[in-house]
Amino acid sequence: MQDVANLANVSLATVSFTINNSKPVSPKTRAKVEQAMKELNYRRNAVGSALARGRTHVLALLYPALQHRLSPTSVRFFTSAADQARLRGYNLVLWPMSNEAEAVTELTSSGLVDGVVLMEVQLDDPRVTELSRSNIPFALIGRTRDTTGIPFVDVNFESAVETAVDRLIQLGHTNLVLVDGGGGDQLLGGYGPVARTRKAFGEVTAQRGLSAAIMSGLHSSAGGRDLAKEFAAQHPDTTGVLIMNEHAGPGFVAGLQQAGYRLPRDISVLAIASSVDTASMAEPEMAVLISPADELGRLGVDALIDQIDKKDDPLPQLLIECTYSPGATMGKAPRKKP
C-alpha cells in the first residue's frame, strides 16, 4: 500500500480509503490510486482485510445438492440472490452440503461467512435448529413447521393449490390427481413444499367435493413418462392433473400422449411452482403457476443482510403468490360417455 501511495503521490490513508470505501475520495484521486494499483499489480488481500474487520462480506446459500436435484427454478433463486447480494456489497457463495446439522456447525464455526440463507427447507429441519443455536444470522427461503422467531420468505403453496384446483373446476373437472416428487427425494424427508402442497390439495378437494388422489415419482423426464403409464392404468376417469415435479413434467406430458391421451381434449395438466422455461419444454406447452423465484431470492438475501447490518426492521415472514401463465394443456373437461 505504501508503494501505491508513493506512486500516486497520495497518503497511505488515502489509499486505504480508496480500497475500503471507508471515506469519500474525489474521482480524480481515486483514478490516480487505481492506476497506481494497476501498474504495480497490487491486489487487496481480502482475507487479511476480513480478519482485521471481523467481517468477510461473504454469504452462504446452503443447498442440499446431493439430495435434491437442481432445477431451472432453483437456478433463478441463485442468480436473483447473488445479484441482490452484490448490489448490497456482499458476495454470495452457493454452498452444496447435506441437510445434516453437523455440516452446518462446521460452516458456522469456521468464520468464513457472515450469514446463511437456507434453501430446500424441511418441516422439521435439523439445520434450522442448529442455526438457531449459533450466533450467525440466517434466513430461510422456505418454512419449517414452527416458524416462531424465524425469518423466512416462501411460496404460498396453499394459495397456489387452491388457485389450481379452482381453475380446473371452472373448466368442469371434478376428478383430480396431484403428481409430486415424493419427499423432494427419498433422502430429503419432510420436504416442506411437497408436504404443504399435499395437505392443501387434500383439504381443498374435500371442501369442493371432488374426487382426488396423489401420485409420486422420480425427478426426471423418464420418471415422468413412467408416472404417465401408471396414471393411465390407475386413474382412467381422471381428467385434471396438478403436477409439482419440475423435472418430470415434460416427460409426463409426453407419456400421456404415448398412452393415447389428447391434450387438452381428454385431460388437462397444470404445473405448480415451476417455470415457463420448464413448461415450454413440453409439447404441447404446459400451463403453469410460475414460482416467484426471483422475488424470493432477493427478499431472502435482504432479510439476511438486514440482520447483519443490525437494522431495526422486524424479521420478515412473507408468503409470495405464484402467477398464472396459460399454456396449451388446459381445456374443458370431456363430456362423460352415456
Side-chain angles (χ1 to χ4, degrees):
M1 287 178 66
Q2 186 63 61
D3 291 341
V4 171
N6 293 340
L7 183 59
N9 196 26
V10 298
S11 69
L12 185 64
T14 299
V15 176
S16 178
F17 299 155
T18 303
I19 293 172
N20 296 306
N21 292 314
S22 53
K23 287 188 177 181
V25 176
S26 71
K28 182 178 180 180
T29 300
R30 177 176 293 276
K32 288 170 58 179
V33 172
E34 290 176 347
Q35 181 60 35
M37 290 170 62
K38 184 176 180 180
E39 291 182 20
L40 294 172
N41 196 29
Y42 173 80
R43 296 290 182 270
R44 176 185 180 212
N45 188 323
V47 175
S49 177
L51 289 172
R53 291 181 289 110
R55 293 272 294 275
T56 65
H57 278 257
V58 175
L59 310 177
L61 180 62
L62 304 192
Y63 189 96
L66 298 178
Q67 297 154 300
H68 198 250
R69 285 186 62 190
L70 301 179
S71 68
T73 298
S74 301
V75 173
R76 287 174 54 212
F77 279 112
F78 303 153
T79 54
S80 172
D83 285 345
Q84 186 65 10
R86 178 181 53 80
L87 289 173
R88 296 195 59 175
Y90 286 79
N91 295 304
L92 184 77
V93 178
L94 175 60
W95 211 287
M97 60 167 53
S98 73
N99 64 326
E100 298 172 353
E102 291 78 8
V104 174
T105 304
E106 292 177 8
L107 173 63
T108 57
S109 62
S110 68
L112 295 174
V113 299
D114 289 343
V116 170
V117 180
L118 193 66
M119 283 188 63
E120 305 305 291
V121 179
Q122 299 162 265
L123 292 180
D124 301 298
D125 200 307
R127 300 169 300 173
V128 176
T129 302
E130 186 61 28
L131 285 168
S132 298
R133 292 171 179 164
S134 73
N135 293 321
I136 193 166
F138 70 94
L140 310 185
I141 299 178
R143 289 173 276 165
T144 48
R145 193 187 311 274
D146 181 3
T147 59
T148 304
I150 297 175
F152 73 82
V153 295
D154 196 12
V155 176
N156 192 339
F157 290 102
E158 295 83 354
S159 175
V161 169
E162 186 171 14
T163 297
V165 169
D166 286 344
R167 281 187 173 273
L168 288 165
I169 290 175
Q170 291 168 8
L171 293 170
H173 299 278
T174 58
N175 195 325
L176 308 181
V177 164
L178 169 66
V179 175
D180 63 32
D185 191 293
Q186 296 306 314
L187 298 177
L188 195 60
Y191 181 47
V194 169
R196 295 181 189 282
T197 298
R198 286 182 176 181
K199 184 174 185 292
F201 181 72
E203 292 174 348
V204 172
T205 52
Q207 291 167 2
R208 308 296 196 268
L210 307 176
S211 298
I214 297 175
M215 298 177 61
S216 297
L218 298 176
H219 285 249
S220 67
S221 186
R225 289 192 290 272
D226 290 341
L227 273 169
K229 292 178 184 177
E230 183 181 341
F231 171 87
Q234 296 183 4
H235 304 285
D237 297 326
T238 296
T239 62
V241 174
L242 287 67
I243 183 165
M244 197 177 77
N245 185 330
E246 191 162 15
H247 292 288
F252 183 77
V253 170
L256 288 177
Q257 292 174 99
Q258 290 170 1
Y261 287 92
R262 297 162 297 178
L263 283 80
R265 182 172 175 178
D266 299 326
I267 191 168
S268 291
V269 177
L270 175 55
I272 299 177
S274 186
S275 66
V276 172
D277 289 340
T278 298
S280 65
M281 294 178 188
E283 180 57 46
E285 183 173 336
M286 285 188 290
V288 58
L289 283 165
I290 303 169
S291 171
D294 296 333
E295 187 174 3
L296 289 173
R298 175 176 58 80
L299 291 172
V301 164
D302 281 341
L304 175 58
I305 295 177
D306 286 348
Q307 292 178 69
I308 296 171
D309 292 347
K310 301 187 184 304
K311 291 193 174 182
D312 295 329
D313 297 340
L315 297 178
Q317 293 190 334
L318 302 173
L319 295 179
I320 310 299
E321 303 295 331
C322 294
T323 54
Y324 180 70
S325 176
T329 57
M330 290 284 281
K332 291 183 178 180
R335 293 183 178 180
K336 294 183 179 180
K337 296 180 181 179

